[in-house]
Amino acid sequence: PGGLGSLRVIRAPSGRAGDPGRGVAGGAPGGGARARARADQLLEELGLSGWAGSLPAQLSGGQRQRVAIGRALMNEPDLVLFDEPTSALDSELGDQVVRLIRDEMKSRGTAAIIVTHDDRITRYADRIARIIDGHVEDPGPGHRAGRS
């Protein structure tokens, strides 16, 4: 009571959590049904279909991160920004979440920018820019961790 299940949390960007008819469907008649179908699709793709009615407190850290990814993808954006997506996760789960981000973004043709202090995840990047002492150091396209 009073909480939002995973399905409603994912649907929320398409409108308010209690009014999912905007955004994905643009407020058109039947928009709530389309938003629900889109949220169901994302839950399935992210391996969370069995958790649709669960409250965030009932989910693991990795499941909550996947719900956040689904929420970011709800309106099919061209660019998704991730701020420290592994900060509250152990190494194994952090690696799993970053692989999921990479795979989901590539499969959708969606650009992503990940801001992180966690150098372990840079191996998944197509391009790396570092901010050092307030200055952006961008080695250029194609530079990856471990390459010179």
Side-chain angles (χ1 to χ4, degrees), residues 11-61:
R11 265 192 341 215
S14 66
R16 292 182 312 275
D19 179 22
R22 298 185 314 200
V24 167
R34 287 199 294 185
R36 182 179 179 91
R38 174 75 176 139
D40 285 338
Q41 173 193 0
L42 286 167
L43 284 169
E44 179 69 30
E45 290 173 6
L46 297 170
L48 292 168
S49 57
W51 297 93
S54 299
L55 299 175
Q58 297 170 313
L59 302 175
S60 70

Side-chain angles (χ1 to χ4, degrees), residues 2-20:
L4 294 176
S6 299
L7 177 65
R8 292 185 66 200
V9 169
I10 286 179
R11 265 192 341 215
S14 66
R16 292 182 312 275
D19 179 22

Side-chain angles (χ1 to χ4, degrees), residues 59-96:
L59 302 175
S60 70
Q63 289 168 326
R64 285 193 299 267
Q65 290 291 56
R66 286 185 278 162
V67 168
I69 293 167
R71 184 178 173 129
L73 296 172
M74 182 65 186
N75 287 327
E76 300 173 318
D78 294 325
L79 172 67
V80 180
L81 305 174
F82 294 94
D83 183 17
E84 300 284 1
T86 61
S87 64
L89 306 176
D90 63 34
S91 298
E92 184 177 333
L93 194 50
D95 189 63
Q96 179 184 3

Side-chain angles (χ1 to χ4, degrees), residues 103-122:
D103 294 348
E104 291 297 321
M105 298 303 107
K106 286 191 180 285
S107 72
R108 288 172 166 75
T110 301
I113 295 175
I114 299 176
V115 177
T116 186
H117 289 88
D118 187 352
D119 283 337
R120 296 170 300 163
I121 67 174
T122 58

